[in-house]
Amino acid sequence: MGTTLSLVFTDWKSRNGNVAAGSLDGATVQIDGRLGTTVLDGSSPVFSSPVFTPSLSASDMIEIVGEPENREFTVDFSGAMVQDPVFHLGSLGSTLTFPVGTLVTRLSGDTETSGGPRDFKVVGNQVIGKAFQPPPGQPTDSSGSVRLPGRFGSIKFNLKPNFVGGSNIDGVALQIGGAALQLSFTDWKSRNGNVAAGSLDGATVQIDGRLGTTVLDGSSPVFSSPVFTPSLSASDMIEIVGEPENREFTVDFSGAMVQDPVFHLGSLGSTLTFPVGTLVTWLSGDTETSGGPRDFKVVGNQVIGKAFQPPPGQPTDSSGSVRLPGRFGSIKFNLKPNFVGGSNIDGVALQIGGVRA
């Protein structure tokens, strides 16, 4: 059955339609996708069988629902990183597919020799269960546990039934375990002209490009709004300045690698463009329904803000947070204002978070 792991499992706290939220080892967790039954009081015995590693005598449970059109789910850890997450999957009559390249390790599960035709197996980036209708009182379908080695800020997967007939949908019991690593944010220590330097989780960080105001003493409240994930009551801040000629910036981690860096962007009236092929994930930000025309959005490799001049005392332009999934030794981007007139330059508050890989 594999070695029993000392893991923390998610305390699921709320369910609103097809979104459930909770906490895992201090990190906020949210799952978005078609959901069925939820157990939020820790009373579900579904993971108590020895086919799970570790087995849980009683636990919370989220039912995810697979459909023939291969429904997508997203698990997000809201600014934290989770190390080697474990998925307990109960009554899996579907194929669960993670993104191409995801390493998936089988920890334990049903096999065809365990008393019924419920083979639970991993093939590449897929976890494959068998639909099985047993006599009353016996478990249906396949069950077991898998681990995703690595550090994850979010996890996407699809769930598609392996059978035809009946309701043609498959309800799968899910619980997620792991160890959370809270994000560190850059301690900016110096500024010399258009170069600022600091440290991030032990890695040296340098940014090179046209810079404006810098706050090096941790006193800036600009990232304290809930539009940032996570919000920072007080922090250092580097102002990057966009110009019509589309100025380039380089962030360098000086020989280190940073996992899934997060960019907090305050007062973004520009388009920030990463190199073609860079995956950019929207974490949080202003929307047009949040009280003002400050839509903060991600389109491909671009983060797009709106210039907006509000009444005195209200935030200008768009603000929010994005994540770049992957490991980075350096990051390049361009910043170009989305407006014409005035000074025709845009000052954007920046803070960078991550975990050293």
Side-chain angles (χ1 to χ4, degrees), residues 212-233:
T213 302
T214 55
V215 177
L216 306 179
D217 64 358
S219 65
S220 174
V222 70
F223 307 112
S224 62
S225 163
V227 301
F228 299 103
T229 299
S231 60
L232 306 173
S233 58

Side-chain angles (χ1 to χ4, degrees), residues 16-71:
N16 184 4
N18 283 323
V19 177
S23 64
L24 171 58
D25 197 21
T28 298
V29 186
Q30 179 175 291
I31 186 168
D32 186 352
R34 182 173 174 185
L35 305 181
T37 302
T38 54
V39 178
L40 307 179
D41 64 358
S43 65
S44 175
V46 69
F47 307 111
S48 62
S49 162
V51 301
F52 299 102
T53 301
S55 60
L56 306 173
S57 58
S59 171
D60 290 349
M61 184 276 289
I62 300 292
E63 184 184 39
I64 53 177
V65 180
E67 299 176 295
E69 58 265 30
N70 206 1
R71 178 169 292 275

Side-chain angles (χ1 to χ4, degrees), residues 86-292:
V86 167
F87 277 44
H88 281 0
L89 298 163
S91 188
L92 177 70
S94 297
T95 294
L96 188 153
T97 303
F98 294 102
V100 172
T102 305
L103 181 62
V104 186
T105 302
R106 185 188 187 276
L107 293 179
S108 57
D110 286 310
T111 68
E112 292 185 340
T113 61
S114 66
R118 302 185 187 90
D119 197 22
F120 179 88
K121 62 183 178 180
V122 170
V123 178
N125 61 321
Q126 294 185 317
V127 186
I128 303 172
K130 283 188 175 180
F132 175 63
Q133 188 59 52
Q138 294 185 28
T140 61
D141 307 339
S142 306
S143 294
S145 302
V146 298
R147 179 191 289 126
L148 278 59
R151 294 176 174 178
F152 293 83
S154 62
I155 302 168
K156 290 185 181 289
F157 61 89
N158 290 298
L159 189 66
K160 185 173 183 178
N162 289 331
F163 58 88
V164 177
S167 65
N168 215 22
I169 64 173
D170 185 32
V172 179
L174 172 69
Q175 182 56 301
I176 300 172
L181 305 171
Q182 296 296 333
L183 285 182
S184 296
F185 279 83
T186 304
D187 176 12
W188 294 103
K189 297 178 179 179
S190 66
R191 154 83 181 280
N192 184 5
N194 284 324
V195 178
S199 64
L200 172 59
D201 197 22
T204 298
V205 186
Q206 179 174 290
I207 186 168
D208 185 353
R210 182 173 174 184
L211 305 182
T213 302
T214 55
V215 177
L216 306 179
D217 64 358
S219 65
S220 174
V222 70
F223 307 112
S224 62
S225 163
V227 301
F228 299 103
T229 299
S231 60
L232 306 173
S233 58
S235 172
D236 291 349
M237 184 275 290
I238 300 292
E239 184 184 40
I240 53 177
V241 180
E243 299 177 295
E245 58 266 31
N246 205 1
R247 178 170 291 276
E248 184 174 83
F249 294 81
T250 300
V251 179
D252 191 88
F253 300 117
S254 299
M257 299 293 289
V258 171
Q259 179 79 42
D260 292 358
V262 167
F263 277 46
H264 282 1
L265 298 163
S267 190
L268 178 70
S270 297
T271 293
L272 188 154
T273 303
F274 294 102
V276 172
T278 305
L279 180 61
V280 185
T281 302
W282 190 98
L283 290 179
S284 58
D286 288 310
T287 68
E288 292 186 341
T289 60
S290 65

